[in-house]
Amino acid sequence: MARITKGILGGFSGKVGTIVGANWRGQDIIRSTPKPSSRPPSEKQLLQQSKFKLVISFLQPINSIQKRYFGSGTGSKSRVNMAVSYTINEAVEVVGDVPQLMYNKVLITRGDLAGFQNVSATPQAAQAIVLNWEDNSVQGNANAADKVNAVCYCEELGTFEIFESLGERSFLTAAVTLPSYYAGKTVQVWVYFNNTAETLACNSPYLGAFTVL
């Protein structure tokens, strides 16, 4: 079934015979219907499929962040696609034929906003994590009012906790409080700045793995 949108010579979406039409990022495209293969996938293909499945599962809960703040969002790739591509190529290692994430290489956001200076995280009682950094609000395109955000991931639970607009760059400190069931669990922590217009973010530094108190 197909839907003609611009007349017989224009774009369409759907399948007509052996041709599939679609609109991708504002451009009408057509392609042939892929033929099913009876050939079993190779070990390399199976490994790539495993990497893709791992990365998609990991990034899906934070795609609302990456839709806004990963790369420029120009060209043929969406920001989410760029995040997936980066993570597969730069933040996955294979251990005994099993792909694993390298959290210290993961980027939650990627952009040209000036980042943190000497940022650190310290776990405190009652499931709190305190963030501290130095003032660099006059450097480059930094602004004292840039917003501070934190992302925590618990591999054991398979869950993210996202904390947006915790404060401003000029505050030099902020704190997050995780739910009580995180007590005793290990979390991976990243932070990032975004500007007040919410059009730009910095590369998100990885602060490390911390046991929640």
Side-chain angles (χ1 to χ4, degrees):
M1 181 177 181
R3 177 170 57 87
I4 305 298
T5 58
K6 298 179 183 177
I8 193 65
L9 298 179
F12 69 93
S13 62
K15 181 180 177 182
V16 178
T18 60
I19 295 176
V20 177
N23 185 280
W24 173 246
R25 298 180 69 82
Q27 296 184 352
D28 296 314
I29 62 171
I30 60 172
R31 59 181 174 83
S32 60
T33 306
K35 296 180 179 179
S37 174
S38 59
R39 188 180 304 172
S42 66
E43 289 185 6
K44 184 176 180 180
Q45 288 173 323
L46 289 172
L47 178 59
Q48 191 67 15
Q49 290 170 10
S50 295
K51 289 181 179 181
F52 186 77
K53 183 177 179 180
L54 171 68
V55 169
I56 290 295
S57 176
F58 175 71
L59 294 182
Q60 195 279 331
I62 56 172
N63 66 11
S64 62
I65 297 173
Q66 296 184 323
K67 283 178 181 177
R68 292 177 287 163
Y69 299 132
F70 203 98
S72 63
T74 60
S76 60
K77 280 189 174 182
S78 70
R79 286 185 167 99
V80 170
N81 285 343
M82 287 190 287
V84 170
S85 178
Y86 167 84
T87 307
I88 289 175
N89 293 323
E90 304 294 337
V92 174
E93 64 178 346
V94 179
V95 179
D97 296 328
V98 178
Q100 298 180 2
L101 288 162
M102 296 183 288
Y103 295 117
N104 64 320
K105 299 289 184 67
V106 167
L107 286 176
I108 305 297
T109 60
R110 190 176 192 182
D112 295 327
L113 185 65
F116 286 84
Q117 181 170 298
N118 295 330
V119 61
S120 64
T122 305
Q124 293 193 357
Q127 301 86 53
I129 296 178
V130 175
L131 309 170
N132 292 286
W133 60 92
E134 296 178 1
D135 186 17
N136 65 342
S137 56
V138 296
Q139 297 178 1
N141 62 353
N143 188 288
D146 291 335
K147 302 303 180 183
V148 182
N149 311 270
V151 174
C152 302
Y153 175 70
C154 178
E155 181 177 326
E156 180 181 346
L157 299 174
T159 55
F160 279 95
E161 299 296 330
I162 300 169
F163 303 90
E164 297 186 293
S165 297
L166 291 167
E168 299 180 359
R169 188 189 292 263
S170 62
F171 290 4
L172 309 185
T173 188
V176 303
T177 301
L178 294 158
S180 59
Y181 56 81
Y182 276 83
K185 309 293 186 185
T186 297
V187 294
Q188 317 292 329
V189 180
W190 297 264
V191 291
Y192 66 94
F193 285 125
N194 64 264
N195 62 3
T196 55
E198 299 186 353
T199 58
L200 191 63
C202 68
N203 288 355
S204 54
Y206 171 72
L207 304 188
F210 302 92
T211 300
V212 180
L213 303 179

